[in-house]
Amino acid sequence: MNGLFSGAAARAAQRSAHTCLEELTASVGADGLDAATQSPGLLATIDQHAAGIRDSLSSDVRPLTAVILAAYAEGVRDAAFKHGWRPPAGPIDWTENDWVLNRLLAVCSLARTLP
């Protein structure tokens, strides 16, 4: 019986992770990645954040997955909210150096590389 439920749990986790990453991409990633193509400085910042994420998730030991990236993004958001950060009310100004938004944008960038 354990195998049946573990498979269902894994599928549910995958669906949830993909939904989380899709929502993050819709709210941050699409516009941010477009902005990064126009701004070498933002692109470099996102690349640095992506490298930091890969390092912290030990992607050299285990491959990145949607579940791992979604959990990481949720952790970043939860910690940011706990420390008083709030997302912008309107469109994001990518010329401002917002660490949380840059980190979440890097998650979106990494998510695009997943199989």
Side-chain angles (χ1 to χ4, degrees):
M1 209 189 258
N2 189 18
L4 173 66
F5 290 111
S6 64
R11 287 189 299 278
Q14 281 288 342
R15 282 192 303 274
S16 178
H18 284 285
T19 298
C20 174
L21 293 173
E22 288 167 5
E23 289 172 357
L24 183 61
T25 298
S27 64
V28 173
D31 289 340
L33 293 171
D34 284 346
T37 64
Q38 303 299 314
S39 170
L42 178 59
L43 185 58
T45 297
I46 299 315
D47 286 345
Q48 290 173 344
H49 277 276
I53 293 168
R54 282 191 299 272
D55 288 347
S56 70
L57 296 177
S58 302
S59 66
D60 57 332
V61 177
R62 60 182 179 175
L64 289 177
T65 66
V67 171
I68 290 170
L69 281 176
Y72 182 85
E74 295 275 330
V76 167
R77 280 189 290 206
D78 289 348
F81 282 130
K82 182 178 177 182
H83 289 89
W85 178 85
R86 295 293 175 256
I92 298 170
D93 179 359
W94 290 104
T95 62
E96 292 184 19
N97 191 16
D98 185 316
W99 188 94
V100 175
L101 289 174
N102 289 339
R103 200 66 163 197
L104 294 174
L105 184 54
V107 170
C108 294
S109 177
L110 289 169
R112 291 173 56 178
T113 68
L114 295 176

